[in-house]
Amino acid sequence: MEELHSETQKTEPEPLSAPKVIGLTGGIGSGKTTVAKFIEEFGFPVYYSDDRAKDIVNDNDDLKQKIKELLGKEAYDKDDLYDRKFVAEKVFNNKDLLQKLNEIIHPAVRIDFEDWIKKQTKYLVFKETALLFELKLNLQCYKSILVTAEDNIRIKRVMDRDGKTYREVQAIMEKQMPEKDKIKLADCIIHNNTNLEDLKNQTEKIIFDIE
């Protein structure tokens, strides 16, 4: 595990022929999306894997057919749009089904990412994804950044944001890879336990220290 401590650099290195891909991840309530927005403020492009997946499952007819074959026609609503609530409930307690679903969706997301990265000009690009370590996508990245926070802080954030109960959030967290395992795998760690100013400062320091 590597945490970076040198002085923040304000100037960018010369652009490379191919940008370095930095994986960005964090569990529910960690603040991963907020960090991604800060990264964009600092001038670096972010590919939002989870958001793009939401579009791809609606736009790709081949993908639609495979998902319907796996989960049933109910996976799409009367307007033929992906029914996230139905799918989430279907796979929540079924690891095998969830794995099969990921095996359908993530190759399509990977192709979409490869097309996206060809259009980028910065020396660093960031790939935001909740399943960076679970799917071993970190092995395809130059570095990985984990946004983490204490469990009780994460639970409160999600309760306030989504209106879920303590037990509901806890159940979701229990399905995710334990934080201690992610910390062992991450190259850089951002601790989001205090305030937005501190979070932004940590983000700035880490991304400008990446060489």
Side-chain angles (χ1 to χ4, degrees), residues 122-206:
K122 289 287 187 175
Y123 72 101
L124 295 180
V125 299
F126 291 78
K127 184 175 187 179
E128 177 266 359
T129 174
L131 300 175
L132 184 72
F133 299 124
E134 290 87 337
L135 297 177
K136 302 188 188 313
L137 299 175
N138 58 308
L139 301 179
Q140 301 168 17
C141 297
Y142 177 69
K143 295 280 186 182
S144 62
I145 298 175
L146 171 67
V147 185
T148 188
E150 295 172 6
D151 285 356
N152 284 341
I153 292 175
R154 292 170 58 203
I155 290 170
K156 185 178 186 308
R157 284 177 185 151
V158 180
M159 288 172 65
D160 292 343
R161 182 189 70 195
D162 299 343
K164 293 184 180 295
T165 66
Y166 187 95
R167 289 185 180 277
E168 285 174 334
V169 182
Q170 209 172 29
I172 294 171
M173 289 173 60
E174 287 172 357
K175 296 290 182 184
Q176 297 182 338
M177 179 184 286
E179 288 296 287
K180 60 182 177 62
D181 294 339
K182 292 180 182 179
I183 287 170
K184 290 176 183 176
L185 293 169
D187 294 307
C188 311
I189 300 171
I190 294 175
H191 297 277
N192 183 18
N193 294 314
T194 54
N195 54 57
L196 287 175
E197 182 181 3
D198 178 58
L199 183 64
K200 188 171 186 176
N201 288 340
Q202 288 185 68
T203 302
E204 181 179 26
K205 180 172 177 54
I206 279 180

Coordinates of all heavy atoms in Angstrom, one line a residue, residues 122-206:
K122 N -5.3 14.5 -21.5 CA -4.6 14.7 -20.3 C -3.6 13.6 -20.0 O -3.9 12.4 -20.5 CB -5.5 14.9 -19.1 CG -6.3 16.2 -19.1 CD -5.4 17.3 -18.7 CE -6.2 18.6 -18.6 NZ -5.3 19.7 -18.1
Y123 N -2.6 13.8 -19.2 CA -1.6 12.8 -18.9 C -2.2 11.8 -17.9 O -1.7 10.6 -17.8 CB -0.3 13.4 -18.4 CG -0.3 14.0 -17.0 CD1 0.2 13.3 -15.9 CD2 -0.8 15.2 -16.8 CE1 0.1 13.8 -14.7 CE2 -0.9 15.8 -15.5 CZ -0.4 15.1 -14.5 OH -0.4 15.7 -13.2
L124 N -3.2 12.2 -17.1 CA -3.9 11.2 -16.2 C -5.4 11.2 -16.5 O -6.0 12.3 -16.8 CB -3.8 11.7 -14.8 CG -2.4 11.7 -14.1 CD1 -2.5 12.1 -12.7 CD2 -1.8 10.3 -14.2
V125 N -6.0 10.1 -16.5 CA -7.5 10.0 -16.6 C -7.9 9.1 -15.4 O -7.2 8.2 -14.9 CB -8.0 9.4 -17.9 CG1 -7.6 10.3 -19.1 CG2 -7.5 8.0 -18.1
F126 N -9.1 9.3 -14.9 CA -9.6 8.6 -13.8 C -10.8 7.7 -14.1 O -11.8 8.2 -14.8 CB -9.9 9.6 -12.7 CG -8.7 10.3 -12.1 CD1 -8.1 11.3 -12.8 CD2 -8.2 9.8 -10.9 CE1 -7.0 11.9 -12.3 CE2 -7.0 10.4 -10.4 CZ -6.4 11.5 -11.1
K127 N -10.8 6.5 -13.7 CA -11.9 5.6 -13.9 C -12.6 5.3 -12.5 O -12.1 4.6 -11.7 CB -11.4 4.3 -14.5 CG -12.5 3.3 -14.8 CD -12.0 2.1 -15.5 CE -13.1 1.2 -16.0 NZ -12.6 0.0 -16.7
E128 N -13.8 5.9 -12.4 CA -14.6 5.7 -11.1 C -15.4 4.5 -11.2 O -16.2 4.3 -12.2 CB -15.4 7.0 -10.9 CG -16.3 6.9 -9.7 CD -17.7 6.4 -10.0 OE1 -18.0 6.1 -11.2 OE2 -18.5 6.3 -9.1
T129 N -15.3 3.6 -10.3 CA -16.1 2.4 -10.3 C -16.2 1.8 -8.9 O -15.2 1.8 -8.1 CB -15.5 1.3 -11.2 OG1 -16.3 0.1 -11.1 CG2 -14.1 1.0 -11.0
A130 N -17.4 1.4 -8.5 CA -17.6 0.8 -7.2 C -16.9 -0.6 -7.0 O -16.5 -1.0 -5.9 CB -19.1 0.6 -6.9
L131 N -16.6 -1.2 -8.1 CA -16.1 -2.6 -8.1 C -14.7 -2.7 -8.6 O -14.3 -3.7 -9.2 CB -17.1 -3.5 -8.9 CG -18.5 -3.6 -8.5 CD1 -19.3 -4.4 -9.4 CD2 -18.6 -4.1 -7.0
L132 N -13.9 -1.7 -8.3 CA -12.5 -1.7 -8.8 C -11.7 -3.0 -8.4 O -11.1 -3.6 -9.2 CB -11.8 -0.5 -8.3 CG -10.4 -0.3 -8.8 CD1 -10.4 0.1 -10.3 CD2 -9.7 0.8 -8.0
F133 N -11.8 -3.3 -7.1 CA -11.1 -4.4 -6.6 C -11.8 -5.7 -6.7 O -11.2 -6.8 -7.0 CB -10.7 -4.2 -5.1 CG -9.9 -3.0 -4.9 CD1 -10.3 -2.0 -4.0 CD2 -8.7 -2.8 -5.5 CE1 -9.6 -0.8 -3.8 CE2 -7.9 -1.7 -5.3 CZ -8.3 -0.7 -4.4
E134 N -13.1 -5.7 -6.6 CA -13.9 -6.9 -6.7 C -13.8 -7.6 -8.1 O -13.7 -8.8 -8.3 CB -15.4 -6.6 -6.5 CG -15.7 -6.3 -5.0 CD -15.6 -4.8 -4.7 OE1 -14.8 -4.1 -5.4 OE2 -16.2 -4.3 -3.7
L135 N -13.7 -6.7 -9.2 CA -13.5 -7.2 -10.5 C -12.1 -7.2 -11.0 O -11.8 -7.4 -12.2 CB -14.4 -6.4 -11.5 CG -15.9 -6.4 -11.2 CD1 -16.6 -5.5 -12.2 CD2 -16.4 -7.8 -11.4
K136 N -11.2 -6.9 -10.0 CA -9.7 -6.8 -10.3 C -9.4 -5.8 -11.4 O -8.4 -6.0 -12.2 CB -9.2 -8.2 -10.7 CG -9.4 -9.3 -9.6 CD -8.7 -10.6 -9.9 CE -9.1 -11.7 -9.0 NZ -9.1 -11.4 -7.6
L137 N -10.2 -4.8 -11.5 CA -9.9 -3.7 -12.5 C -8.7 -2.9 -12.1 O -8.1 -2.2 -13.0 CB -11.2 -2.8 -12.7 CG -12.4 -3.5 -13.1 CD1 -13.6 -2.6 -13.1 CD2 -12.3 -4.1 -14.5
N138 N -8.3 -3.0 -10.9 CA -7.1 -2.2 -10.4 C -5.9 -2.7 -11.1 O -4.9 -2.0 -11.3 CB -7.0 -2.3 -8.9 CG -6.9 -3.8 -8.4 OD1 -7.7 -4.6 -8.7 ND2 -5.9 -4.1 -7.6
L139 N -5.9 -4.0 -11.6 CA -4.8 -4.6 -12.3 C -4.6 -3.9 -13.6 O -3.5 -4.0 -14.2 CB -4.9 -6.1 -12.4 CG -5.1 -6.9 -11.1 CD1 -5.3 -8.3 -11.4 CD2 -3.9 -6.6 -10.2
Q140 N -5.6 -3.3 -14.1 CA -5.5 -2.6 -15.4 C -5.2 -1.1 -15.3 O -5.2 -0.4 -16.3 CB -6.9 -2.8 -16.2 CG -7.3 -4.2 -16.4 CD -8.7 -4.3 -16.9 OE1 -9.3 -3.4 -17.3 NE2 -9.2 -5.6 -16.8
C141 N -5.0 -0.7 -14.0 CA -4.8 0.7 -13.8 C -3.3 1.0 -13.3 O -2.7 0.1 -12.8 CB -5.7 1.2 -12.6 SG -7.4 1.1 -13.1
Y142 N -2.8 2.2 -13.6 CA -1.5 2.6 -13.2 C -1.4 2.7 -11.7 O -0.5 2.3 -11.0 CB -1.1 3.9 -13.8 CG 0.2 4.5 -13.4 CD1 1.4 3.8 -13.8 CD2 0.3 5.6 -12.7 CE1 2.6 4.3 -13.4 CE2 1.5 6.1 -12.3 CZ 2.7 5.5 -12.7 OH 3.9 6.0 -12.3
K143 N -2.4 3.3 -11.1 CA -2.6 3.4 -9.6 C -4.0 3.3 -9.3 O -4.9 3.5 -10.1 CB -2.1 4.8 -9.1 CG -0.6 5.1 -9.3 CD 0.2 4.4 -8.3 CE 1.7 4.8 -8.4 NZ 2.6 4.2 -7.4
S144 N -4.3 3.0 -8.0 CA -5.7 3.0 -7.5 C -5.8 3.9 -6.3 O -4.9 4.0 -5.5 CB -6.1 1.5 -7.1 OG -5.2 1.0 -6.1
I145 N -6.9 4.6 -6.2 CA -7.3 5.4 -5.1 C -8.5 4.9 -4.4 O -9.5 4.7 -5.1 CB -7.5 6.9 -5.6 CG1 -6.2 7.5 -6.2 CG2 -7.9 7.8 -4.4 CD1 -6.4 8.9 -6.8
L146 N -8.4 4.8 -3.1 CA -9.6 4.3 -2.3 C -10.1 5.5 -1.5 O -9.3 6.1 -0.7 CB -9.2 3.2 -1.4 CG -10.3 2.7 -0.4 CD1 -11.5 2.2 -1.1 CD2 -9.7 1.8 0.6
V147 N -11.3 5.8 -1.6 CA -11.9 6.8 -0.6 C -12.6 6.0 0.4 O -13.5 5.1 0.2 CB -13.0 7.7 -1.4 CG1 -13.5 8.8 -0.4 CG2 -12.4 8.3 -2.6
T148 N -12.3 6.3 1.7 CA -12.8 5.5 2.8 C -13.2 6.4 3.9 O -12.9 7.6 4.0 CB -11.8 4.5 3.3 OG1 -12.4 3.6 4.2 CG2 -10.6 5.1 3.9
A149 N -14.0 5.9 4.8 CA -14.5 6.6 6.0 C -14.9 5.6 7.0 O -15.2 4.4 6.7 CB -15.7 7.6 5.6
E150 N -15.1 6.1 8.3 CA -15.5 5.2 9.3 C -16.9 4.7 9.1 O -17.7 5.5 8.5 CB -15.5 6.0 10.7 CG -14.0 6.3 11.1 CD -14.0 7.3 12.3 OE1 -15.1 7.5 12.9 OE2 -12.9 7.7 12.7
D151 N -17.2 3.5 9.5 CA -18.5 2.9 9.1 C -19.7 3.7 9.6 O -20.7 3.9 8.8 CB -18.6 1.5 9.8 CG -17.7 0.5 9.0 OD1 -17.2 0.8 8.0 OD2 -17.7 -0.7 9.5
N152 N -19.7 4.2 10.8 CA -20.8 5.0 11.3 C -21.0 6.3 10.5 O -22.2 6.7 10.3 CB -20.6 5.3 12.8 CG -20.9 4.1 13.7 OD1 -21.5 3.1 13.3 ND2 -20.4 4.1 14.9
I153 N -19.9 6.9 10.1 CA -20.1 8.1 9.3 C -20.7 7.8 7.9 O -21.6 8.5 7.4 CB -18.7 8.7 9.1 CG1 -18.2 9.3 10.4 CG2 -18.8 9.9 8.0 CD1 -16.8 9.8 10.4
R154 N -20.3 6.7 7.3 CA -20.8 6.2 6.0 C -22.3 5.9 6.1 O -23.1 6.3 5.3 CB -20.0 5.0 5.5 CG -18.6 5.3 5.1 CD -17.8 4.0 4.8 NE -18.5 3.3 3.8 CZ -18.3 2.0 3.6 NH1 -17.6 1.3 4.5 NH2 -18.9 1.3 2.6
I155 N -22.6 5.2 7.2 CA -24.1 4.8 7.4 C -24.9 6.1 7.6 O -26.0 6.2 6.9 CB -24.2 3.9 8.6 CG1 -23.6 2.5 8.3 CG2 -25.7 3.7 9.0 CD1 -23.4 1.6 9.5
K156 N -24.5 7.0 8.4 CA -25.3 8.3 8.6 C -25.4 9.0 7.3 O -26.5 9.5 7.0 CB -24.6 9.1 9.6 CG -25.5 10.4 10.0 CD -24.8 11.2 11.0 CE -25.8 12.3 11.5 NZ -26.3 13.1 10.4
R157 N -24.4 9.1 6.5 CA -24.5 9.8 5.2 C -25.5 9.2 4.3 O -26.3 9.9 3.7 CB -23.1 9.8 4.5 CG -22.1 10.7 5.0 CD -20.8 10.5 4.3 NE -19.7 11.3 4.9 CZ -18.4 11.0 4.9 NH1 -18.0 9.9 4.3 NH2 -17.5 11.8 5.5
V158 N -25.5 7.9 4.2 CA -26.5 7.2 3.3 C -27.9 7.3 3.9 O -28.9 7.5 3.1 CB -26.1 5.7 3.1 CG1 -27.1 5.0 2.2 CG2 -24.7 5.6 2.5
M159 N -28.1 7.2 5.2 CA -29.4 7.4 5.8 C -29.9 8.8 5.5 O -31.1 9.0 5.1 CB -29.3 7.2 7.3 CG -29.1 5.8 7.7 SD -28.7 5.6 9.5 CE -30.3 6.2 10.2
D160 N -29.1 9.8 5.6 CA -29.5 11.2 5.3 C -29.8 11.4 3.9 O -30.7 12.1 3.5 CB -28.4 12.2 5.8 CG -28.3 12.2 7.3 OD1 -29.2 11.7 8.0 OD2 -27.2 12.7 7.8
R161 N -29.0 10.8 3.0 CA -29.1 11.0 1.6 C -30.2 10.2 0.9 O -31.0 10.8 0.1 CB -27.7 10.6 0.9 CG -27.7 10.8 -0.6 CD -26.4 10.1 -1.2 NE -26.5 8.6 -1.1 CZ -25.5 7.8 -1.3 NH1 -24.3 8.3 -1.5 NH2 -25.6 6.5 -1.3
D162 N -30.4 9.0 1.3 CA -31.3 8.1 0.7 C -32.6 7.8 1.5 O -33.5 7.1 1.0 CB -30.6 6.8 0.3 CG -29.5 7.0 -0.7 OD1 -29.4 8.1 -1.3 OD2 -28.6 6.1 -0.8
G163 N -32.6 8.2 2.7 CA -33.7 7.9 3.6 C -33.8 6.4 4.0 O -34.9 6.0 4.4
K164 N -32.7 5.7 4.0 CA -32.7 4.3 4.4 C -32.5 4.2 5.9 O -32.0 5.1 6.5 CB -31.6 3.6 3.6 CG -31.8 3.5 2.1 CD -30.7 2.6 1.5 CE -30.8 2.5 0.0 NZ -32.0 1.7 -0.3
T165 N -32.9 3.1 6.4 CA -32.7 2.8 7.9 C -31.3 2.4 8.1 O -30.5 2.0 7.2 CB -33.7 1.7 8.4 OG1 -33.3 0.5 7.7 CG2 -35.1 2.1 8.0
Y166 N -30.9 2.4 9.4 CA -29.5 1.9 9.8 C -29.3 0.5 9.3 O -28.3 0.2 8.7 CB -29.4 2.0 11.3 CG -28.0 1.8 11.8 CD1 -27.1 2.8 12.0 CD2 -27.6 0.5 12.0 CE1 -25.8 2.6 12.5 CE2 -26.3 0.2 12.5 CZ -25.4 1.3 12.8 OH -24.2 1.0 13.2
R167 N -30.3 -0.3 9.5 CA -30.1 -1.8 9.2 C -30.0 -2.0 7.7 O -29.3 -2.8 7.2 CB -31.3 -2.6 9.7 CG -31.2 -2.8 11.2 CD -32.4 -3.7 11.7 NE -32.3 -3.8 13.2 CZ -31.5 -4.7 13.8 NH1 -30.7 -5.5 13.1 NH2 -31.5 -4.8 15.1
E168 N -30.8 -1.2 6.9 CA -30.8 -1.3 5.4 C -29.4 -0.9 4.9 O -28.8 -1.6 4.0 CB -31.8 -0.4 4.8 CG -33.2 -0.9 4.9 CD -34.3 0.1 4.4 OE1 -34.0 1.4 4.5 OE2 -35.4 -0.3 4.1
V169 N -28.8 0.1 5.4 CA -27.5 0.5 5.0 C -26.4 -0.5 5.4 O -25.5 -0.9 4.6 CB -27.1 1.9 5.5 CG1 -25.7 2.3 5.0 CG2 -28.1 3.0 5.1
Q170 N -26.6 -1.0 6.6 CA -25.7 -2.0 7.1 C -25.7 -3.2 6.2 O -24.6 -3.9 5.9 CB -26.0 -2.3 8.6 CG -24.9 -2.8 9.4 CD -25.3 -2.9 10.9 OE1 -26.4 -3.2 11.2 NE2 -24.3 -2.7 11.8
A171 N -26.9 -3.6 5.8 CA -27.0 -4.8 4.9 C -26.3 -4.6 3.6 O -25.7 -5.6 3.1 CB -28.5 -5.1 4.7
I172 N -26.4 -3.4 3.1 CA -25.7 -3.1 1.8 C -24.2 -3.2 2.0 O -23.5 -3.8 1.2 CB -26.1 -1.7 1.3 CG1 -27.6 -1.7 0.9 CG2 -25.2 -1.3 0.1 CD1 -28.1 -0.3 0.6
M173 N -23.7 -2.6 3.1 CA -22.3 -2.6 3.4 C -21.7 -4.0 3.6 O -20.6 -4.3 3.2 CB -22.0 -1.7 4.6 CG -22.2 -0.2 4.3 SD -22.0 0.8 5.8 CE -20.4 0.4 6.4
E174 N -22.5 -4.9 4.2 CA -22.1 -6.2 4.4 C -21.9 -7.0 3.1 O -21.2 -8.0 3.1 CB -23.1 -6.9 5.3 CG -23.0 -6.5 6.8 CD -24.1 -7.0 7.7 OE1 -25.0 -7.7 7.1 OE2 -24.1 -6.7 8.9
K175 N -22.6 -6.6 2.1 CA -22.5 -7.2 0.8 C -21.2 -6.8 0.0 O -20.8 -7.4 -1.0 CB -23.7 -7.0 -0.1 CG -25.0 -7.5 0.5 CD -25.0 -9.0 0.4 CE -26.4 -9.6 1.0 NZ -26.4 -11.1 1.0
Q176 N -20.6 -5.7 0.4 CA -19.5 -5.1 -0.3 C -18.2 -5.7 0.3 O -18.2 -6.2 1.5 CB -19.5 -3.6 -0.2 CG -20.7 -3.0 -0.8 CD -20.7 -1.4 -0.8 OE1 -20.1 -0.8 0.1 NE2 -21.4 -0.8 -1.7
M177 N -17.1 -5.6 -0.4 CA -15.8 -6.0 0.1 C -15.5 -5.2 1.3 O -15.6 -4.0 1.4 CB -14.7 -5.8 -1.0 CG -13.4 -6.2 -0.5 SD -12.1 -5.9 -1.8 CE -12.4 -7.1 -3.0
P178 N -15.0 -5.9 2.4 CA -14.6 -5.2 3.6 C -13.6 -4.1 3.4 O -12.7 -4.3 2.6 CB -14.1 -6.3 4.5 CG -14.7 -7.6 4.0 CD -14.8 -7.4 2.5
E179 N -13.7 -3.0 4.1 CA -12.8 -1.9 3.9 C -11.3 -2.3 4.2 O -10.4 -1.8 3.5 CB -13.2 -0.7 4.9 CG -14.4 0.0 4.5 CD -14.3 0.7 3.2 OE1 -13.6 1.8 3.1 OE2 -14.9 0.2 2.2
K180 N -11.1 -3.2 5.2 CA -9.8 -3.6 5.5 C -9.1 -4.3 4.3 O -7.9 -4.2 4.1 CB -9.7 -4.5 6.7 CG -10.5 -5.8 6.6 CD -10.5 -6.6 7.9 CE -11.3 -7.8 7.9 NZ -10.8 -8.8 6.9
D181 N -9.9 -5.0 3.5 CA -9.3 -5.7 2.3 C -9.0 -4.7 1.2 O -8.0 -4.8 0.5 CB -10.3 -6.7 1.8 CG -10.5 -7.9 2.8 OD1 -9.6 -8.1 3.7 OD2 -11.5 -8.6 2.8
K182 N -9.9 -3.7 1.1 CA -9.7 -2.7 0.0 C -8.4 -1.9 0.4 O -7.6 -1.5 -0.5 CB -10.9 -1.7 -0.1 CG -12.1 -2.4 -0.6 CD -13.3 -1.4 -0.7 CE -14.6 -2.0 -1.2 NZ -15.7 -1.1 -1.3
I183 N -8.3 -1.5 1.7 CA -7.1 -0.7 2.1 C -5.8 -1.5 1.8 O -4.8 -0.8 1.3 CB -7.2 -0.4 3.6 CG1 -8.3 0.6 3.8 CG2 -5.9 0.1 4.2 CD1 -8.7 0.8 5.3
K184 N -5.8 -2.8 1.9 CA -4.6 -3.5 1.6 C -4.3 -3.5 0.1 O -3.1 -3.5 -0.3 CB -4.8 -5.0 2.0 CG -4.8 -5.2 3.5 CD -5.1 -6.7 3.8 CE -5.2 -6.9 5.3 NZ -5.6 -8.3 5.6
L185 N -5.3 -3.3 -0.7 CA -5.1 -3.4 -2.2 C -4.8 -2.0 -2.8 O -4.3 -1.9 -3.9 CB -6.3 -4.0 -2.9 CG -6.6 -5.5 -2.6 CD1 -8.0 -5.8 -3.1 CD2 -5.5 -6.3 -3.3
A186 N -5.2 -0.9 -2.1 CA -5.2 0.4 -2.7 C -3.7 1.0 -2.6 O -3.0 0.7 -1.7 CB -6.1 1.3 -1.9
D187 N -3.4 1.7 -3.7 CA -2.1 2.4 -3.7 C -2.1 3.7 -2.9 O -1.2 4.1 -2.3 CB -1.7 2.7 -5.2 CG -1.5 1.5 -6.0 OD1 -0.7 0.7 -5.6 OD2 -2.1 1.3 -7.1
C188 N -3.3 4.4 -3.0 CA -3.4 5.7 -2.3 C -4.8 5.7 -1.6 O -5.8 5.1 -2.1 CB -3.4 6.9 -3.3 SG -2.0 6.8 -4.5
I189 N -4.8 6.3 -0.4 CA -6.0 6.3 0.4 C -6.4 7.7 0.8 O -5.6 8.5 1.2 CB -5.8 5.4 1.6 CG1 -5.5 4.0 1.3 CG2 -7.1 5.5 2.5 CD1 -5.1 3.1 2.4
I190 N -7.7 8.0 0.6 CA -8.2 9.3 1.0 C -9.2 9.0 2.2 O -10.2 8.2 2.0 CB -9.0 10.0 -0.1 CG1 -8.0 10.4 -1.2 CG2 -9.7 11.2 0.4 CD1 -8.6 11.0 -2.5
H191 N -9.0 9.6 3.3 CA -9.8 9.4 4.5 C -10.8 10.5 4.6 O -10.5 11.7 4.8 CB -9.0 9.3 5.8 CG -8.0 8.2 5.8 ND1 -8.4 6.9 6.2 CD2 -6.7 8.1 5.5 CE1 -7.3 6.1 6.1 NE2 -6.3 6.8 5.7
N192 N -12.1 10.2 4.4 CA -13.2 11.2 4.4 C -14.0 11.2 5.7 O -15.1 10.8 5.7 CB -14.1 11.0 3.2 CG -15.1 12.0 3.0 OD1 -15.0 13.1 3.6 ND2 -16.2 11.7 2.3
N193 N -13.3 11.6 6.8 CA -14.0 11.6 8.1 C -14.3 12.9 8.7 O -14.9 13.0 9.7 CB -13.1 10.8 9.1 CG -13.0 9.3 8.7 OD1 -14.0 8.7 8.4 ND2 -11.8 8.8 8.8
T194 N -13.9 14.0 8.0 CA -14.0 15.3 8.6 C -14.9 16.3 7.8 O -16.1 16.3 8.0 CB -12.6 16.0 8.8 OG1 -11.9 16.0 7.5 CG2 -11.8 15.2 9.8
N195 N -14.3 17.0 6.8 CA -15.1 18.0 6.1 C -14.7 18.1 4.6 O -13.7 17.5 4.2 CB -15.0 19.4 6.8 CG -13.5 19.8 7.0 OD1 -12.8 19.9 6.0 ND2 -13.1 20.1 8.2
L196 N -15.4 18.9 3.9 CA -15.1 18.9 2.4 C -13.8 19.6 2.1 O -13.1 19.2 1.1 CB -16.3 19.7 1.7 CG -17.6 19.0 1.6 CD1 -18.7 19.9 1.0 CD2 -17.4 17.7 0.7
E197 N -13.4 20.6 2.9 CA -12.1 21.2 2.7 C -11.0 20.3 2.8 O -10.1 20.2 2.0 CB -12.0 22.4 3.6 CG -10.7 23.2 3.4 CD -10.5 24.4 4.4 OE1 -11.4 24.5 5.2 OE2 -9.5 25.1 4.2
D198 N -11.0 19.5 3.9 CA -10.0 18.5 4.1 C -10.0 17.4 3.0 O -8.9 17.0 2.5 CB -10.2 17.8 5.4 CG -9.2 16.7 5.7 OD1 -7.9 17.0 5.7 OD2 -9.6 15.6 5.9
L199 N -11.2 17.0 2.6 CA -11.3 16.0 1.5 C -10.7 16.6 0.2 O -10.0 15.8 -0.5 CB -12.8 15.7 1.3 CG -13.1 14.6 0.3 CD1 -12.5 13.3 0.7 CD2 -14.6 14.5 0.1
K200 N -11.0 17.8 -0.1 CA -10.5 18.4 -1.3 C -9.0 18.5 -1.3 O -8.3 18.3 -2.3 CB -11.1 19.8 -1.6 CG -10.8 20.4 -2.9 CD -11.6 21.7 -3.2 CE -11.4 22.2 -4.6 NZ -12.2 23.4 -4.9
N201 N -8.4 18.9 -0.1 CA -7.0 19.0 0.0 C -6.3 17.7 -0.1 O -5.2 17.6 -0.8 CB -6.6 19.6 1.4 CG -7.0 21.1 1.5 OD1 -7.1 21.8 0.5 ND2 -7.1 21.6 2.7
Q202 N -6.8 16.7 0.5 CA -6.3 15.3 0.3 C -6.3 14.9 -1.2 O -5.3 14.3 -1.7 CB -7.0 14.3 1.1 CG -6.9 14.4 2.6 CD -7.6 13.2 3.3 OE1 -7.2 12.1 3.2 NE2 -8.7 13.5 4.0
T203 N -7.4 15.2 -1.8 CA -7.5 14.8 -3.2 C -6.5 15.5 -4.1 O -5.8 14.9 -4.9 CB -9.0 15.1 -3.7 OG1 -9.9 14.5 -2.9 CG2 -9.1 14.7 -5.2
E204 N -6.3 16.8 -3.9 CA -5.4 17.6 -4.6 C -4.0 17.0 -4.4 O -3.2 16.9 -5.4 CB -5.5 19.0 -4.2 CG -4.5 19.9 -5.0 CD -4.6 21.4 -4.6 OE1 -5.0 21.7 -3.5 OE2 -4.3 22.3 -5.4
K205 N -3.6 16.8 -3.2 CA -2.3 16.3 -2.9 C -2.0 15.0 -3.6 O -0.9 14.8 -4.2 CB -2.1 16.2 -1.4 CG -0.7 15.7 -1.0 CD -0.5 15.7 0.5 CE 0.8 15.2 0.9 NZ 2.0 15.8 0.2
I206 N -2.9 14.1 -3.5 CA -2.7 12.7 -4.1 C -2.6 12.8 -5.6 O -1.6 12.2 -6.2 CB -3.8 11.8 -3.6 CG1 -3.5 11.2 -2.2 CG2 -3.9 10.6 -4.6 CD1 -4.5 10.3 -1.7

